[in-house]
Amino acid sequence: QVQLVESGGGLVQAGGSLRLSCVASGRTFSSYVMGWFRQAPGKEREFVAGITRGGDTTYYRDSVKGRFTISRDNAKKTVTLQMNSLKPEDTAVYYCAGDVSTVVHTTQRHYDYWGQGTQVTVSS
């Protein structure tokens, strides 16, 4: 069992940056693939980025490649999403999620644990 708590959301102008953090409780954080998802009003939740258990491989949706970076620190039980060059279309509630699988999945149904979400708003 793991609990996830996100922080770092806020309001930023287009072109700005935000850094989201997700801290996990429990002893088995390093056993989970971690992902970030987002959900904009009226839209389905979508995959943003994922990272393998050891942090050696990362995955991104095409629209954020080159702008977002996911990383993790297993000793601190933390996964981070650095978001640069933000655009108004990045506005959404961002969720971190944990998956007991050994590979990074891009669909939310594979993820077992979810945080409560943090709001990111990008103004034009």
Side-chain angles (χ1 to χ4, degrees):
Q1 186 79 10
V2 64
Q3 293 183 327
L4 304 172
V5 179
E6 304 99 333
S7 62
L11 173 64
V12 65
Q13 289 187 332
S17 298
L18 283 174
R19 185 178 181 88
L20 304 184
S21 294
C22 174
V23 179
S25 65
R27 298 182 295 175
T28 58
F29 177 74
S30 59
S31 299
Y32 294 90
V33 164
M34 297 301 296
W36 284 95
F37 287 75
R38 67 187 181 187
Q39 188 167 18
K43 295 187 177 180
E44 293 188 356
R45 193 172 298 186
E46 63 183 19
F47 173 82
V48 176
I51 189 166
T52 51
R53 293 182 293 182
D56 52 310
T57 307
T58 56
Y59 300 84
Y60 301 92
R61 68 180 301 106
D62 287 345
S63 62
V64 308
K65 285 181 180 177
R67 300 189 297 122
F68 290 12
T69 303
I70 187 173
S71 60
R72 69 188 296 164
D73 184 333
N74 287 339
K76 295 182 179 179
K77 301 179 183 179
T78 301
V79 60
T80 300
L81 185 68
Q82 176 67 43
M83 306 186 295
N84 299 328
S85 303
L86 283 160
K87 304 175 181 181
E89 52 263 44
D90 295 318
T91 295
V93 177
Y94 283 70
Y95 300 88
C96 74
D99 179 3
V100 297
S101 302
T102 58
V103 298
V104 175
H105 291 107
T106 60
T107 51
Q108 58 176 319
R109 65 181 177 87
H110 287 99
Y111 287 78
D112 307 283
Y113 303 103
W114 292 84
Q116 82 289 351
T118 185
Q119 176 70 47
V120 171
T121 303
V122 184
S123 63
S124 58

